[in-house]
Amino acid sequence: DVKVTQSSRYLVKRTGEKVFLECVQDMDHENMFWYRQDPGLGLRLIYFSYDVKMKEKGDIPEGYSVSREKKERFSLILESASTNQTSMYLCASSQQGAEAFFGQGTRLTVV
Amino acid sequence: AQSVTQLDSQVPVFEEAPVELRCNYSSSVSVYLFWYVQYPNQGLQLLLKYLSGSTLVESINGFEAEFNKSQTSFHLRKPSVHISDTAEYFCAVNRGSNYKLTFGKGTLLTVNP
C-alpha cells in the first residue's frame, strides 16, 4: 500500500515563528502536493512539485514556500506563521494523471 | 482553468434511503475524475475514479458514479446508505496529463437512524 506520512498530527506554534511541515511518501511518485483544508472552503492547493527541485505555485501560495531535495520528501515552510494560517494541512503524492494518496493531515494552530 | 462545483454543502438522509451527491466540473479538455471520502479526524481516501472506458464506475462499498461528458457531471450515488457512510465527500478533477488535482468544497453526508 502507498504510504504518505506527515511528521506531526498536531502542532501549536507562536505568531512569527518559522514552521516546517514534513511529508514523506514511499512509492516513488513523481508528484507531491500540499493542500490546506478549511471548513466550507474544501481543499485548496498551496504548492505542488512534479520532480525533485521542481515546484509550482498552487492557488494560495502567499506566506508559504516549499522544498523538495529528495524525491520522497516534500516540505512546506511557513516563513513567519500568522493566525490566519491556522488550518489542517494535507500532503499528497501521485503518479502523473493518476489518483492522489493523502497523509493523515497536520492540524496547525498558530497562537 | 479547471474547476469543480459540488452543489450541496450538506446532505442529511435517513438510513437505508438512496442518496445522490452532485458534482459538476468545467474543463475544455478531457479529464480524469475522482471521488474522495474523509471520515472524522482522518485523511482523504479514494472512493472511486474515472480515467477512461466505461462511464459508470463503482466502489467496493456500494457507491457508484457516472461520468456524463455532455453535462460535465460526475454525480455520486448509493441506493441504500448506512450510518457508517456519514463522512465528507470530495469531488476532484485532474486534466489528463496535468499534475494539478482540483477539489470541490465538499459535501457533508449525514446518515441518521
Side-chain angles (χ1 to χ4, degrees):
Chain A
D1 282 352
V2 174
K3 193 166 184 181
V4 179
T5 304
Q6 295 184 230
S7 52
S8 305
R9 287 296 302 274
Y10 301 95
L11 276 179
V12 180
K13 296 292 182 180
R14 295 193 179 279
T15 301
E17 275 194 78
K18 191 168 186 176
V19 181
F20 293 85
L21 303 183
E22 306 287 346
C23 175
V24 177
Q25 51 97 1
D26 65 357
M27 282 301 292
D28 204 36
H29 285 169
E30 294 93 359
N31 306 324
M32 296 190 75
F33 310 83
W34 275 106
Y35 291 88
R36 65 175 282 177
Q37 182 181 12
D38 300 288
L41 298 178
L43 276 74
R44 293 179 292 168
L45 183 63
I46 304 172
Y47 268 96
F48 66 101
S49 168
Y50 51 89
D51 202 350
V52 176
K53 297 188 186 293
M54 306 302 287
K55 61 186 179 184
E56 285 199 23
K57 295 179 180 179
D59 300 316
I60 51 165
E62 296 78 17
Y64 303 94
S65 62
V66 290
S67 172
R68 193 167 181 200
E69 296 296 318
K70 294 184 178 181
K71 191 174 186 179
E72 67 270 20
R73 187 179 296 271
F74 193 36
S75 303
L76 179 68
I77 303 155
L78 286 67
E79 298 290 343
S80 177
S82 64
T83 54
N84 63 13
Q85 292 179 309
T86 291
S87 186
M88 171 70 85
Y89 290 87
L90 294 169
C91 175
S93 72
S94 76
Q95 295 281 41
Q96 185 167 321
E99 69 267 29
F101 294 85
F102 283 82
Q104 287 292 88
T106 297
R107 187 167 295 281
L108 172 68
T109 302
V110 182
V111 298
Chain B
Q2 60 200 30
S3 67
V4 179
T5 302
Q6 290 184 245
L7 295 160
D8 304 296
S9 59
Q10 297 187 52
V11 173
V13 296
F14 288 108
E15 194 173 18
E16 298 183 4
V19 71
E20 178 180 81
L21 307 184
R22 296 178 292 169
C23 173
N24 288 88
Y25 67 92
S26 67
S27 177
S28 58
V29 297
S30 61
V31 295
Y32 299 155
L33 295 156
F34 307 89
W35 275 100
Y36 284 84
V37 59
Q38 185 178 36
Y39 299 104
N41 299 314
Q42 294 189 25
L44 271 72
Q45 304 172 33
L46 181 70
L47 188 61
L48 44 76
K49 63 185 177 184
Y50 170 77
L51 303 181
S52 64
S54 172
T55 57
L56 183 66
V57 290
E58 299 176 353
S59 71
I60 58 172
N61 57 356
F63 282 95
E64 64 179 30
E66 187 163 17
F67 169 53
N68 187 320
K69 188 175 182 179
S70 62
Q71 296 186 7
T72 60
S73 68
F74 191 54
H75 301 331
L76 181 70
R77 302 184 182 95
K78 189 170 184 179
S80 176
V81 293
H82 302 289
I83 290 182
S84 59
D85 292 324
T86 293
E88 191 155 22
Y89 292 79
F90 293 92
C91 182
V93 62
N94 177 307
R95 203 178 64 184
S97 61
N98 191 318
Y99 322 107
K100 184 177 172 181
L101 191 58
T102 300
F103 283 84
K105 293 185 178 181
T107 298
L108 179 61
L109 174 64
T110 304
V111 181
N112 299 300

